[in-house]
Amino acid sequence: MSAATTAGMAPPLTEKKLEKKPIKFSNLLLGAGLNLFEVTTLGQPLEVVKTTMAANRGDSFGTALGRIWGRGGPLGFYQGLIPWAWIEASTKGAVLLFVASEAEYYARSAGASEFVGGIVGGVSGGVVQAYATMGFCTCMKTVEITQHKIAAGGVKPPSTFTTFMNIYQKEGIRGINKGVNAVAIRQMTNWGSRFGLARLAEQGIRRVTGKENGEKLTVAEKILSSTIGGGLSAWNQPIEVIRVEMQSKKEDPNRPKKMTVGNTFKYIYETNGIKGLYRGVAPRIGLGVWQTVCMVALGDVAKAYVEKITGDKVTAKH
């Protein structure tokens, strides 16, 4: 038998057997821990600035900072952190991991490439993430950030749970989940484009550094590729501005009474133009960079710690 015939019968060296990755407790703990750290440090202040600018589209960056400081000094930048941002941070990673892993596996089983499979997983995870946990969390965070404070008039603002119950009693589950469709669109486009753009950036970095044969990237290179993906994925900022407007409690008689993604887009465009649809994009890019630094730069340290306390090898990517 010739060498050519033997080579033709042998499976390609690059072919990998598709395996279904198990969902481990250690992976979920890692995701929840990193998300909680990210949101408790710079994450929530950047979220508050982004939301404030999106809700008050005439504000400059400086004006938005002044408005937030006036709501409660340094604590104004942490409105909505407890419990909503903590609930969202500790659950969204787990939901994303479960769904994205399953969706990617079935997409690859159906013949999708690794690139397409990653996007399918990200899009699927983002959508389920929005409807399962993020809808009511983002709504309540936005309500707290945008509700008018009348403390200067001597009236104490309602507590977090009083606000929650008031909305529930008046509007039910729909009121608590207001804007969830916009959240779903944002998460779907976020994760789809972030996975795809980060992969393209990684390919470019591998070409420049001569690591096209699968050599391990450095932490700095991982951060750079993920930051490029996260920053460029802010193209969908209009969806974020629409989400904030739908969830905000500010009074405006010109706003549609029953707000949908479509009529909210029209309202923002007619009142603030194209610039209004991109308000808050700078702090959102900053948020994406900080999330990347937390997940990538701190990932190895966090992995070692989680493996130590659980005795379970962490297999989650970061």
Side-chain angles (χ1 to χ4, degrees), residues 281-304:
V281 70
R284 183 175 168 203
I285 291 173
L287 182 59
V289 171
W290 180 240
Q291 287 172 338
T292 298
V293 170
C294 288
M295 290 299 179
V296 177
L298 300 178
D300 289 330
V301 176
K303 269 188 179 184

Side-chain angles (χ1 to χ4, degrees), residues 85-279:
W86 276 7
I87 294 173
E88 181 185 332
S90 60
T91 58
K92 70 179 183 180
V95 172
L96 178 68
L97 187 62
F98 270 116
V99 178
S101 178
E102 290 291 305
E104 182 174 4
Y105 172 77
Y106 287 111
R108 294 292 310 283
S109 297
S113 66
E114 187 176 349
F115 175 72
V116 173
I119 292 177
V120 170
V123 168
S124 304
V127 171
V128 176
Q129 186 185 60
Y131 286 108
T133 63
M134 289 187 68
F136 79 92
C137 289
T138 58
C139 183
M140 292 310 302
K141 283 192 298 180
T142 304
V143 166
E144 286 201 34
I145 293 166
T146 61
Q147 68 180 347
H148 290 292
K149 302 295 185 183
I150 50 175
V155 179
K156 187 179 179 180
S159 69
T160 293
F161 289 103
T162 300
T163 302
F164 180 90
M165 291 308 299
N166 286 342
I167 296 172
Y168 180 75
Q169 288 168 2
K170 289 179 182 177
E171 305 174 58
I173 294 296
R174 285 191 177 186
I176 296 297
N177 278 286
K178 189 173 288 183
V180 70
N181 290 337
V183 175
I185 295 170
R186 186 195 75 178
Q187 290 304 100
M188 179 179 72
T189 52
N190 256 7
W191 286 108
S193 58
R194 188 173 290 186
F195 271 62
L197 292 169
R199 182 63 58 83
L200 290 176
E202 183 181 315
Q203 289 173 354
I205 290 170
R206 286 187 178 281
R207 288 194 194 98
V208 171
T209 58
K211 296 180 178 178
E212 295 183 73
N213 296 317
E215 293 89 345
K216 191 174 182 180
L217 295 178
T218 65
V219 170
E221 289 164 348
K222 286 181 185 177
I223 290 176
L224 179 59
S225 64
S226 297
T227 298
I228 292 171
L232 292 178
S233 67
W235 63 267
N236 66 358
Q237 180 65 8
I239 297 297
E240 175 68 357
V241 176
I242 289 167
R243 188 271 300 175
V244 170
E245 187 62 43
M246 290 177 75
Q247 294 176 340
S248 74
K249 288 295 177 182
K250 69 177 186 178
E251 299 296 328
D252 184 349
N254 297 317
R255 289 206 314 174
K257 290 187 177 179
K258 289 188 177 181
M259 304 186 80
T260 64
V261 173
N263 64 25
T264 305
F265 174 90
K266 184 179 179 183
Y267 163 73
I268 295 170
Y269 180 75
E270 288 177 347
T271 54
N272 302 102
I274 291 292
K275 285 186 177 180
L277 290 163
Y278 279 90
R279 296 301 292 162

